[in-house]
Amino acid sequence: MKLVVRIKLLPTPVQAAALEATLYACNEAATWAAHVAFDEKTAKPLALRKHTYQQIKTRWNLGAQAAQHAIKKTCDAYITLRANLRNGNYGKPGSQRYEKAAGKPVTFRADAAQPYDDRMLSWQHEQRTVSIWTTVGRMKNVAFTGEPGQLAVVAAHRKGESDLLCRGGQWYLLVTCDIAEADGNARPVGFVGVDLGIVNIATTSTGKRHCGRRLNRRREADRKLRTKLQKKNTKSAKRRAKKHAGKEKRRARDINHKISKRIVTEAQRIGRGIALEDLVGIRERARLRKPQRVTLHSWSFHQLGAFIAYKAKRAGVPVVYVNPAYTSRECSCCHHIEKANRPSQAVFVCRSCGFAEHADRNSSHNISHRGWYAWVRGAESQAPALTLIA
């Protein structure tokens, strides 16, 4: 399986200046290549290379590999743009947003990531340094650091390209690693159902509940601060807004990593698989009042599900996805479905058998049952391994 590890570089001021100049030149060249691709109506690497390769090398003083990567990055950006337009992520054809995205060339930020291959980047793991190509020549002895476990993964499993990235004045290398998957558990004794929500980020059928009230309060405070700074619109307000930009995203990502690790570790310990709801398209299906929409759209359920899936795959824990319809209204004891079974957000009381339980806990049991049925049907068709990749 592919895993991306972020390694922090510790360049000297002179080395940092060289890296900054390199990123600027590569992204400026990629932006110019994107304009050529837009004018020539071509975004295929071979055709675009004929129009731009020599000019990029001479005009921006890029090496052969750097020029190739700048052209490939441009082509990949147009492939992504076409896919987003085709999937309706920019609205319907003819809409203002669609035409704005499709009617102008792609541009790259001055500090956008630049890919490096083994010809441009070499590692000295014992010395914890790298030798990296720049526009002023090969720069050696650039120190790096990281968590010991991550450094061990990079030393043992690094494969493919690494991306040079600058964020907030800090330099990073995003390293692609190819890690062998653990042997999957072909005979799980059951499934841990995971109910994802907003009040409770994740509730498992084993009784664990990860509350989201604290995170939601922080999100609300961040939104109020962001609105206040945008209204003020002074230089100091813009500086403060920039300082806080991405803080909420990083916080949610950290919480999702911790929750997913606990869920996968528990499932591995008790020999069970993990059952998740298939929530694709929930934002389009849900009909909410305006104040509730902000909360729904800031809910990073997809990221949490992705973290659980890749951690489970690495640990050999099977994952299945189930239909989420009526999991919150169905009784986990008698399976009676009725809207009145949910008198409030947190309470579930079955109108048929009288079973009472916390609503999210009841939903997690339903997800667990459906996960087991999905696994049995998959096992009967001799295709249970596909659920590991889902």
Side-chain angles (χ1 to χ4, degrees), residues 26 53 114 166 171 179 188 199 221 231 285 287 295 337 370:
C26 291
Y53 177 70
Q114 174 65 17
C166 181
W171 292 91
I179 301 176
V199 176
K231 287 182 178 179
R285 296 195 303 268
R287 295 292 182 266
T295 303
I337 300 175
R370 295 185 186 187

Side-chain angles (χ1 to χ4, degrees), residues 32 48-62 67 71:
W32 175 79
L48 186 58
R49 196 175 296 128
K50 294 178 180 178
H51 292 287
T52 60
Y53 177 70
Q54 290 297 334
Q55 293 91 324
I56 287 177
K57 286 185 64 179
T58 56
R59 184 175 173 183
W60 283 280
N61 193 29
L62 300 188
I71 295 170

Side-chain angles (χ1 to χ4, degrees), residues 94-112:
S95 66
Q96 184 177 0
R97 189 179 175 205
Y98 184 98
E99 295 301 327
K100 183 178 179 181
K104 64 179 182 179
V106 172
T107 57
F108 296 90
R109 299 189 316 272
D111 60 347

